Amino acid sequence: MVRTRTDAASLAGSGHVRLNGARIDAASRPVRPGDVITIALDRSVRVLKVKGFADRRGASEAARVLYDDLSPAPLPPRPPSNGSREPGSGRPTKRERRSIDRLMNGRHGTRDEP
């Protein structure tokens, strides 16, 4: 779920992880097969049921067989509302700004008239 053990420990220490419904405050909690782990990540929640353990560390593909993902289905993306811009698209261009100004001021012409 996270890339490093340090990130996992800080996530658990900050209270974003639950073990069988109880919030844990340290990463050193023992986990057994059948336990349910709930992890609150950025804007999503992952619910995982532990199926087993590996004898040694390995690839993420091998780790995926050791748990069942019980997470709820993600919500469908909302269509953008009128006048909104995509996140991360930067500042509006001069043309876009003029279009926004016309929309906000109620003018429909192509020139900025007094």
Side-chain angles (χ1 to χ4, degrees), residues 38-60:
T38 306
I39 305 169
L41 296 171
D42 296 326
R43 293 185 178 179
S44 64
V45 175
R46 300 286 306 263
V47 181
L48 309 170
K49 183 174 183 180
V50 179
K51 292 191 329 188
F53 296 99
D55 292 331
R56 59 190 196 97
R57 290 180 63 177
S60 61

Side-chain angles (χ1 to χ4, degrees), residues 7-56:
D7 290 343
S10 64
L11 192 66
S14 63
H16 293 274
V17 179
R18 292 178 182 262
L19 179 62
N20 295 324
R23 183 174 289 175
I24 63 170
D25 54 355
S28 61
R29 287 293 188 94
V31 178
R32 296 181 180 89
D35 285 350
V36 176
I37 300 171
T38 306
I39 305 169
L41 296 171
D42 296 326
R43 293 185 178 179
S44 64
V45 175
R46 300 286 306 263
V47 181
L48 309 170
K49 183 174 183 180
V50 179
K51 292 191 329 188
F53 296 99
D55 292 331
R56 59 190 196 97

